Amino acid sequence: MKKIFSNLLFKPATPPTPKKKRRGIEIKSEREIEIMRQAAKIVATVLKEISERVEPGMTTADLDAYAEKRIREMGATPSFKGYHGFPASICSSINHEVVHGIPNRKKVIRTGDVLKVDTGAYFEGFHGDSCITLALGEVTPEAANLIRVAEETLYKGIEQVKAGAYLLDIAGAIEDHVKANGFSVVEDFTGHGVGRNLHEEPAVFNYRTHEMRNVKLKAGMTLAIEPILNAGSKFTRILSDRWTAVTLDNALSAQFEHTVLVTEDGYEILTDRTKI
């Protein structure tokens, strides 16, 4: 089993006061869920604003600076910055970069790029986490189709969420939609629980597997569901910066992610940008 859960870990730049380590899957209280709604709203706001402002000629460092400024203005701390040495408040991954791209003032965003922006906010003890993929100007039909299917795939997974369902229900719906559209599911990275820690139990996988526990969902669980699709091979490699993952065959990659609350009869998308 390669790089499944630990590779997605981040810590906030200003960690919370150390508490006794918790184990297993946490069920959030109503008070905790309300705080998570606020953390998630901050994330959704930042991503929506970036999607409206990004344009060719900007750098990924420009986006990072904007995201950090806005997260802090809304009373939160960037979740990603500082964890295991990660130097930024967003992950910005372009074209064949899959995840964990490091913002850089020399990396200019160009017309035709497929840009992934992933960010998190730590607010009053809890995290929100979300990712979007943006088409910059006119992109190829292949790129546009990949982005469309990636977003559809996220919602296919989310639609399976409710108390009594299982992680494999999510994974199967994601895998089936990806394969039906001729793309591949990246297996090196998964989604995760989210709450007091940015990455918690359980691992939320995007393909059918018996190598991880098939957890039964309960109301009050909060999950970051995040399928990653490649236009070519599912395989990835890590660049020399020790963070950026790229497709092995240099094919395009796309990703969408939401923080989702499990409810008795369904789900609530906490990072829903349409409500901002």
Side-chain angles (χ1 to χ4, degrees):
M1 179 65 64
K2 299 183 296 180
K3 305 189 285 290
I4 291 294
F5 188 65
S6 61
N7 277 357
L8 288 175
L9 297 179
F10 292 96
K11 280 183 181 176
T14 306
T17 302
K19 294 183 173 63
K20 183 178 179 180
K21 185 176 180 180
R22 297 181 175 221
R23 296 182 180 273
I25 300 170
E26 291 192 22
I27 305 298
K28 277 69 176 183
S29 68
E30 285 300 323
R31 182 191 69 82
E32 293 168 338
I33 290 168
E34 184 53 40
I35 296 172
M36 285 198 66
R37 286 191 181 102
Q38 295 177 65
K41 184 177 181 180
I42 292 169
V43 173
T45 299
V46 170
L47 289 179
K48 183 176 182 180
E49 291 177 1
I50 285 176
S51 72
E52 294 169 345
R53 287 163 173 76
V54 64
E55 59 184 21
M58 298 178 70
T59 70
T60 54
D62 294 332
L63 299 184
D64 181 63
Y66 180 83
E68 179 168 358
K69 174 176 175 289
R70 291 294 290 126
I71 289 169
R72 294 188 185 280
E73 283 177 349
M74 289 183 276
T77 301
S79 296
F80 295 179
K81 192 170 186 179
Y83 189 75
H84 284 198
F86 191 78
S89 298
I90 66 169
C91 295
S92 54
S93 309
I94 297 177
N95 296 333
H96 72 295
E97 296 173 343
V98 178
V99 291
H100 303 160
I102 300 174
N104 189 315
R105 66 176 180 272
K106 295 182 179 179
K107 182 164 282 189
V108 178
I109 301 164
R110 304 184 187 281
T111 298
D113 279 346
V114 174
L115 170 67
K116 282 79 71 179
V117 181
D118 190 356
T119 196
Y122 180 74
F123 180 78
E124 294 187 4
F126 290 86
H127 296 271
D129 188 11
S130 187
C131 178
I132 57 175
T133 298
L134 302 171
L136 271 295
E138 292 294 325
V139 299
T140 65
E142 176 195 47
N145 189 44
L146 176 66
I147 295 169
R148 177 185 62 80
V149 173
E151 187 166 22
E152 289 175 356
T153 299
L154 171 61
Y155 289 102
K156 292 290 185 181
I158 290 173
E159 286 167 4
Q160 305 305 309
V161 174
K162 66 177 180 180
Y166 286 85
L167 288 180
L168 272 180
D169 298 330
I170 300 171
I174 287 172
E175 183 178 27
D176 288 347
H177 192 67
V178 173
K179 290 185 174 179
N181 283 276
F183 298 117
S184 61
V185 178
V186 173
E187 297 180 6
D188 290 341
F189 305 96
T190 74
H192 50 90
V194 59
R196 293 182 186 276
N197 300 293
L198 182 58
H199 294 83
E200 301 179 340
E201 295 285 348
V204 182
F205 34 99
N206 299 312
Y207 56 96
R208 294 179 179 89
T209 178
H210 296 294
E211 295 186 44
M212 288 179 282
R213 189 158 56 105
N214 187 21
V215 172
K216 185 176 183 179
L217 303 182
K218 297 181 180 179
M221 288 182 179
T222 44
L223 308 174
I225 301 174
E226 49 179 317
I228 307 172
L229 283 61
N230 288 351
S233 164
K234 68 182 180 181
F235 297 106
T236 70
R237 64 184 179 91
I238 306 298
L239 297 184
S240 59
D241 65 14
R242 302 179 66 184
W243 283 103
T244 308
V246 300
T247 56
L248 199 60
D249 56 6
N250 291 320
L252 294 174
S253 186
Q255 176 192 10
F256 284 88
E257 174 188 17
H258 271 311
T259 295
V260 179
L261 169 68
V262 181
T263 66
E264 288 292 350
D265 57 357
Y267 58 86
E268 178 184 345
I269 300 174
L270 300 183
T271 48
D272 187 351
R273 296 179 303 281
T274 67
K275 296 181 178 179
I276 302 301

